[in-house]
Amino acid sequence: MPDPSFFTDEPQLTPLLRKLRSITRLSARDEQAILRLPAHPRVFTAGQDLVSEGDRSTQCWLVLMGWVQRYKLLSGGRRQISAFHVAGDMADLPSLHLPVMDHSLGAVTYVMAASIPHEALRELLERHPDLNAPFWRDTLVDAAIFREWVANVGRRPAYQRLAHLFCELYLKQAAVGLAQDHRCPMPVTQVDLADATGLTSVHINRTLRDLRRDKLIDLRSKTLVIHDWTRLVEAAEFDPTYLQLDRTLAA
Amino acid sequence: MPDPSFFTDEPQLTPLLRKLRSITRLSARDEQAILRLPAHPRVFTAGQDLVSEGDRSTQCWLVLMGWVQRYKLLSGGRRQISAFHVAGDMADLPSLHLPVMDHSLGAVTYVMAASIPHEALRELLERHPDLNAPFWRDTLVDAAIFREWVANVGRRPAYQRLAHLFCELYLKQAAVGLAQDHRCPMPVTQVDLADATGLTSVHINRTLRDLRRDKLIDLRSKTLVIHDWTRLVEAAEFDPTYLQLDRTLAA
DNA sequence: CGTAATTTTGAGTCGTCTCAACTATAGTGG
DNA sequence: CCACTATAGTTGAGACGACTCAAAATTACG
């Protein structure tokens, strides 16, 4: 159910501003320039790819609503998710300088996204060189998140690993106003969680039960409720530095 | 044993050019500008940190010789390595836009590195806006490698995981002329390999034995010898797309 | 040449996986 | 609005890949 105003001519780029503001500072002039970017809205149903491995992009997708996942398919039906993206994320900003996709971007939920031509972005950056830094910084924050995922998947046991993922996804959403009061959307299946953490869905199920048993969280009807943020952070050994959020959000 | 010419006034930035050329195209003018960057050489002994978690950087380190690793320390003595860097790599280019380190950069071997002040880099990018793209692209390639590592650690069994790492490190070095004839430097301990793959050193030892038994590789005196590149690639299910090398290097 | 670091091997354990069935929830069409 | 069907979640039992602990063998280094 897309918001009717969504299909008006005016591009809805404010989520992008909110995102960029959460990790950097922008001048009013630069913000205006961003808002003038041409953006073509489109919807995707759950499971659809926005971009698939091997595609050559000439545009970037900005997520406006819903969740998008970044994933690789391996042989034998194995899959690894390397990122979740929410409203405001330029999910495939990398395609601006790496046009051939080495992975896919898929819609986790019903998704509204806006495509922005590479050409328009390049022109923006040319006219407003100051904007190189914020966007570049955005890709650097994403890279920092990938690094944290390497550590998560490589060195943390299942319980800690899931807890860590929840801490990250809560803060990431809170930073752009999509979460508060220790609850946030978590519109993924246990299979998705498994593919994001390098576990099996069976083990995710049992680990979720343990997290629930310990009164740390609840995950029901696609909503994560955090019962005890402090203990969740402890259990996860979560340090939000890597998210590079301007101000640490109060717990 | 530093090369004597290393300490002359002339900055030795050619490895950087070689690296950038392996993943992008540069104009002669831009190349000249890069060569004029001020670079202050320094050596590090194995085990020393170039930069530590929590540090605030005002300069970037360019690796000139030796290997550098990117790693995070976790509780209980656990460690996760998320990248290896070789000559030509701007190991902490991220610090240009994310000055607070969320991880450490350590010397794997005896290392020669050159520090380039952030200020000089910013000035370079201001005067040569075309250079934003190549450097940005470099951080995007690193991010692509992180993503591949997430998949490697998350979804591949030990044997495949190690094989994949070796394919990557061989190609990465070959791309900048540091490897050829299916042999390359691999100056890491089994503990390092364990921390890069999310395994234990004991299991690395046994997996190396298996790879050796299968006549795929040999790893002796810090040198990797690949006996059968084709079968190694097969075993690893290695697809070099993510490295974004200009030309695929012949097998 | 002695000492530390690294590699190798064995034996037992454990976290996570596999396979398989069953239950619950959500979406769809009559 | 309910029945039907597909999707998602839950549980049990057994297997296995990787881990732990510990010691011995080898190699590197000052």
Side-chain angles (χ1 to χ4, degrees):
Chain A
M1 55 296 272
D3 177 327
S5 74
F6 178 70
F7 290 105
T8 60
D9 285 342
E10 191 174 67
Q12 311 233 335
L13 290 165
T14 46
L16 174 58
L17 281 192
R18 213 178 306 131
K19 165 64 184 286
L20 290 176
R21 281 193 201 122
S22 80
I23 56 162
T24 194
R25 299 194 177 286
L26 296 169
S27 72
R29 181 170 166 274
D30 287 344
E31 292 204 350
Q32 287 310 310
I34 289 173
L35 286 175
R36 277 195 302 272
L37 276 170
H40 306 101
R42 178 169 162 198
V43 300
F44 297 87
T45 60
Q48 239 188 319
D49 273 358
L50 284 76
V51 200
S52 300
E53 188 169 339
D55 285 359
R56 287 200 137 265
S57 298
T58 57
Q59 57 189 15
C60 290
W61 287 105
L62 165 67
V63 183
L64 298 176
M65 199 202 92
W67 277 34
V68 167
Q69 61 192 350
R70 196 180 285 283
Y71 70 95
K72 288 197 182 221
L73 255 23
L74 287 82
S75 72
R78 288 170 301 169
R79 182 178 67 145
Q80 178 67 47
I81 295 172
S82 58
F84 289 115
H85 289 290
V86 301
D89 287 343
M90 283 279 261
D92 75 327
L93 187 52
S95 75
L96 185 61
H97 290 113
L98 302 179
V100 179
M101 295 291 288
D102 66 319
H103 61 282
S104 304
L105 283 173
V108 177
T109 61
Y110 178 94
V111 162
M112 297 201 272
S115 72
I116 305 173
H118 284 173
E119 220 177 312
L121 277 166
R122 278 190 241 282
E123 205 176 304
L124 173 76
L125 294 170
E126 208 170 302
R127 292 200 189 155
H128 303 264
D130 286 358
L131 280 174
N132 275 290
F135 283 109
W136 188 348
R137 182 172 155 101
D138 181 55
T139 70
L140 284 164
V141 172
D142 277 353
I145 296 176
F146 294 141
R147 282 195 296 270
E148 190 64 46
W149 280 44
V150 172
N152 206 33
V153 168
R155 282 294 181 232
R156 287 196 258 260
Y159 188 91
Q160 200 176 21
R161 211 184 287 188
L162 242 197
H164 198 280
L165 181 64
F166 289 144
C167 289
E168 175 183 308
L169 292 176
Y170 173 72
L171 270 199
K172 185 180 161 79
Q173 292 185 89
V176 291
L178 293 169
Q180 52 199 310
D181 300 331
H182 299 132
R183 51 170 57 227
C184 67
M186 188 64 57
V188 295
T189 65
Q190 296 186 356
V191 172
D192 295 330
L193 289 175
D195 288 340
T197 52
L199 298 165
T200 57
S201 64
V202 171
H203 202 56
I204 286 288
N205 184 281
R206 296 184 164 125
T207 308
L208 276 174
R209 163 167 50 68
D210 293 345
L211 284 165
R212 221 178 283 127
R213 186 225 319 131
D214 296 344
K215 302 276 193 300
L216 292 182
I217 59 137
D218 235 313
L219 179 51
R220 242 186 285 131
S221 43
K222 307 297 181 199
T223 300
L224 174 73
V225 179
I226 299 170
H227 291 310
D228 194 328
W229 174 254
T230 311
R231 281 177 50 235
L232 184 65
V233 165
E234 270 172 29
E237 296 184 10
F238 180 76
D239 174 348
T241 309
Y242 71 101
L243 292 174
Q244 305 282 343
L245 301 174
D246 251 3
R247 57 202 166 294
T248 306
L249 299 162
Chain B
M1 56 297 270
D3 178 325
S5 75
F6 179 69
F7 289 106
T8 61
D9 286 341
E10 191 174 66
Q12 310 231 336
L13 290 166
T14 46
L16 174 58
L17 281 192
R18 213 178 305 132
K19 165 63 184 286
L20 290 176
R21 280 193 201 123
S22 80
I23 57 161
T24 192
R25 299 193 179 286
L26 296 169
S27 72
R29 181 168 166 276
D30 288 343
E31 292 203 350
Q32 287 310 310
I34 290 173
L35 286 175
R36 277 195 302 272
L37 276 171
H40 305 101
R42 182 172 158 196
V43 299
F44 296 86
T45 60
Q48 239 187 317
D49 272 358
L50 285 76
V51 199
S52 300
E53 188 169 339
D55 285 359
R56 286 200 138 265
S57 299
T58 57
Q59 58 189 14
C60 290
W61 287 105
L62 166 67
V63 183
L64 298 176
M65 199 201 90
W67 277 35
V68 166
Q69 61 191 352
R70 196 179 285 283
Y71 69 96
K72 289 199 182 218
L73 289 175
L74 287 82
S75 72
R78 287 170 301 169
R79 182 178 66 145
Q80 178 68 47
I81 295 172
S82 57
F84 289 114
H85 289 291
V86 301
D89 286 343
M90 284 279 261
D92 75 326
L93 187 52
S95 75
L96 185 61
H97 290 116
L98 302 180
V100 180
M101 294 291 289
D102 66 318
H103 62 282
S104 304
L105 283 173
V108 177
T109 60
Y110 178 94
V111 163
M112 299 203 272
S115 73
I116 305 173
H118 284 172
E119 218 177 312
L121 277 166
R122 278 190 240 282
E123 203 176 305
L124 174 76
L125 293 170
E126 208 169 302
R127 291 201 191 155
H128 302 264
D130 285 359
L131 280 174
N132 275 290
F135 282 108
W136 187 348
R137 182 173 155 101
D138 180 55
T139 70
L140 284 164
V141 172
D142 277 353
I145 296 175
F146 294 141
R147 282 195 295 271
E148 190 64 47
W149 280 44
V150 172
N152 205 34
V153 169
R155 283 293 180 231
R156 285 197 259 260
Y159 188 91
Q160 201 177 20
R161 212 183 286 187
L162 241 197
H164 198 280
L165 181 65
F166 289 144
C167 289
E168 174 183 308
L169 292 176
Y170 173 71
L171 270 199
K172 185 179 162 81
Q173 293 185 90
V176 291
L178 293 169
Q180 53 199 310
D181 300 332
H182 300 132
R183 50 170 56 227
C184 67
M186 189 64 55
V188 295
T189 65
Q190 295 185 359
V191 172
D192 295 329
L193 288 175
D195 289 339
T197 51
L199 299 165
T200 58
S201 63
V202 171
H203 201 57
I204 286 287
N205 184 281
R206 295 183 165 126
T207 308
L208 275 174
R209 163 168 51 69
D210 294 345
L211 285 165
R212 221 177 283 129
R213 185 222 324 128
D214 296 345
K215 301 276 192 301
L216 292 182
I217 59 136
D218 234 313
L219 180 50
R220 242 187 285 133
S221 43
K222 307 297 181 198
T223 300
L224 174 72
V225 179
I226 299 169
H227 291 310
D228 195 328
W229 173 255
T230 311
R231 279 176 51 233
L232 184 65
V233 165
E234 270 173 28
E237 295 183 9
F238 179 77
D239 174 349
T241 309
Y242 71 102
L243 292 173
Q244 304 282 343
L245 302 174
D246 250 4
R247 57 203 167 293
T248 305
L249 299 160

